[in-house]
Amino acid sequence: DLEKITEIICQNSPCVGAAIVDEEKIYSCYGKLNLKKVLPFIQQAMEEGRCTAVHTEKECPELGNLLLQHIAVAAPLLNEESNVAVGCLVLLESKRWTNPNREYLFGESLAALFSSQLELSQVAYQKELLRKAEFKRLQSQVDPHFLFNSLNTISYFCRSKPDRAKELLLLLAKYYRFSIRQEEALIPLAKELEHIDIYLQLEKARFEEKLIYEQRITDCFLKNIQIPSLILQPIVENAIRHGVSEDGTRFVCVNIEQTLEMLIIKISDHGSGFPKEVLKGLQEDVIDADHVGLLNVHSRLKCIYGANHGLSVLSTTSGSTVKIEIPLRKENTI
């Protein structure tokens, strides 16, 4: 309970106020620190990933006369894996008991403790999301969509091209083996692309010339980058199922590039665009059963990399593009 945490801090330390916030929301506020909104010095602490303090009213007019006798410290709560601030601990400390750097040390120590606890809870949350993603995908595909259509296609080839049928059956087994047994939180991009390739081979056998797939990778070394597992296939599947052009063609393009700080993945189609309720559902984290895979990927990305790194959708009546941005750090490469 976040409200209880801020109360305990104030009752067991010289702090006269405490709050826990993220970039947009105040989750708990106790004591003299009566925040009405997330202030600029708090946002600065989260953006820079380090403690920030304000000492005078001039530095932070919103806190007014409180800063005549107090110092306000913002200590970011960091995700240890991505080093991205997922929240911030804000403390109001009396100037009478502080000495140089003490206000930073106290805030940083508490923030480090909370970050560790947060990391443990996020690991459990990620495992649960991954488990649900696998189950939901298998559930939606096995009955009656993907598996039924694939087996129906294979049965057709059994009569006309038995060797092709055998090849497709092995691909189908490999596809489900990857989906069911995948337990790693991060996998090489090359492995995720291989999984997509298998999926598209099976769909290509079904749609033949009505399915067009393009893959554009600007740097061969990109395949060595690690990404969260099972995040691309649900988006590709969505493009094939819903991104159908007027002549019945299903076009999918996976474009992967990088900047100095970011891996950028774009998955495009030539359909008629996302329904407004689906776009709204992604923003509100509530979505219909036909697009549950998109919401799961959206939630996992935000949990791992921060609230600004969920799915970004550009939707028009002549096609849509879903974009993923993954921060590039040492732990993302192999």
Side-chain angles (χ1 to χ4, degrees):
D1 188 280
L2 296 180
E3 292 184 358
K4 192 66 177 178
I5 289 173
T6 51
E7 180 181 350
I8 290 173
I9 290 174
C10 292
Q11 290 178 347
N12 295 272
S13 76
C15 293
V16 297
I20 296 176
V21 308
D22 64 14
E23 294 176 336
E24 300 176 350
K25 186 176 179 180
I26 299 169
Y27 293 95
S28 173
C29 198
Y30 184 85
K32 292 185 178 181
L33 187 62
N34 187 20
L35 294 177
K36 301 297 183 182
K37 61 180 181 178
V38 181
L39 302 178
F41 84 99
I42 301 174
Q43 294 174 331
Q44 178 186 349
M46 286 188 283
E47 291 173 0
E48 297 178 356
R50 61 183 181 86
C51 266
T52 299
V54 290
H55 300 73
T56 67
E57 181 181 355
K58 185 177 180 181
E59 291 175 285
C60 186
E62 292 89 347
L63 294 180
N65 292 333
L66 275 176
L67 294 178
L68 293 176
Q69 298 179 349
H70 303 90
I71 296 172
V73 178
L77 304 176
L78 301 176
N79 181 310
E80 293 180 6
E81 182 176 348
S82 63
N83 203 36
V84 171
V86 294
C88 194
L89 173 65
V90 188
L91 303 174
L92 190 65
E93 307 174 12
S94 173
K95 289 181 179 179
R96 289 176 294 180
W97 68 271
T98 57
N99 56 45
N101 297 321
R102 181 172 179 176
E103 62 268 18
Y104 291 100
L105 180 60
F106 184 71
E108 285 176 340
S109 299
L110 278 179
L113 175 62
F114 291 164
S115 294
S116 297
Q117 295 300 314
L118 182 63
E119 187 71 18
L120 291 174
S121 66
Q122 284 184 336
V123 168
Y125 181 55
Q126 282 300 307
K127 288 182 178 178
E128 180 65 11
L129 281 174
L130 181 58
R131 185 191 68 79
K132 288 181 179 179
E134 294 167 356
F135 176 77
K136 286 292 185 181
R137 188 175 62 258
L138 289 174
Q139 186 183 51
S140 63
Q141 292 173 347
V142 168
D143 185 25
H145 297 113
F146 180 68
L147 181 59
F148 174 81
N149 291 326
S150 295
L151 290 176
N152 192 44
T153 301
I154 291 170
S155 67
Y156 169 79
F157 282 113
C158 283
R159 296 186 292 271
S160 58
K161 298 179 180 178
D163 290 341
R164 177 61 172 158
K166 179 181 178 181
E167 178 186 348
L168 292 173
L169 194 59
L170 292 174
L171 284 172
L172 185 63
K174 191 173 182 180
Y175 172 84
Y176 276 107
R177 191 178 300 117
F178 179 93
S179 300
I180 295 171
R181 295 182 180 179
Q182 183 56 50
E183 297 178 351
E184 300 167 323
L186 295 174
I187 64 171
L189 175 58
K191 193 172 183 181
E192 183 81 355
L193 290 174
E194 179 185 356
H195 183 58
I196 290 177
D197 183 66
I198 293 171
Y199 172 77
L200 285 164
Q201 286 187 61
L202 292 164
E203 290 289 71
K204 183 72 173 177
R206 175 186 170 199
F207 293 110
E208 297 181 333
E209 71 277 359
K210 287 294 185 179
L211 174 58
I212 301 172
Y213 172 61
E214 293 182 5
Q215 184 182 105
R216 302 169 186 171
I217 300 180
T218 58
D219 189 335
C220 62
F221 296 106
L222 290 178
K223 293 188 177 183
N224 295 325
I225 293 173
Q226 298 246 38
I227 66 171
S229 60
L230 303 172
I231 64 166
L232 301 185
Q233 188 273 341
I235 304 174
V236 171
E237 177 187 358
N238 184 77
I240 292 176
R241 289 182 63 184
H242 302 287
V244 186
S245 61
E246 292 183 358
D247 63 356
T249 301
R250 301 163 193 265
F251 172 84
V252 182
C253 177
V254 177
N255 189 311
I256 304 176
E257 56 189 18
Q258 74 174 108
T259 64
L260 292 176
E261 299 178 348
M262 204 75 65
L263 175 70
I264 302 171
I265 303 172
K266 297 178 182 178
I267 299 175
S268 304
D269 63 58
H270 287 173
S272 58
F274 277 67
K276 291 181 179 179
E277 59 269 21
V278 174
L279 296 176
K280 183 180 179 182
L282 279 176
Q283 293 179 347
E284 299 177 352
D285 292 337
V286 179
I287 209 163
D288 61 84
D290 284 341
H291 300 86
V292 69
L294 287 178
L295 179 59
N296 189 276
V297 172
H298 184 60
S299 299
R300 289 175 61 206
L301 289 170
K302 290 198 298 180
C303 186
I304 295 172
Y305 301 111
N308 294 327
H309 291 281
L311 296 179
S312 173
V313 180
L314 174 63
S315 178
T316 70
T317 55
S318 59
S320 302
T321 297
V322 178
K323 183 169 71 171
I324 298 173
E325 293 186 337
I326 296 177
L328 290 177
R329 297 183 177 88
K330 290 183 179 179
E331 59 268 24
N332 291 114
T333 59
I334 57 175

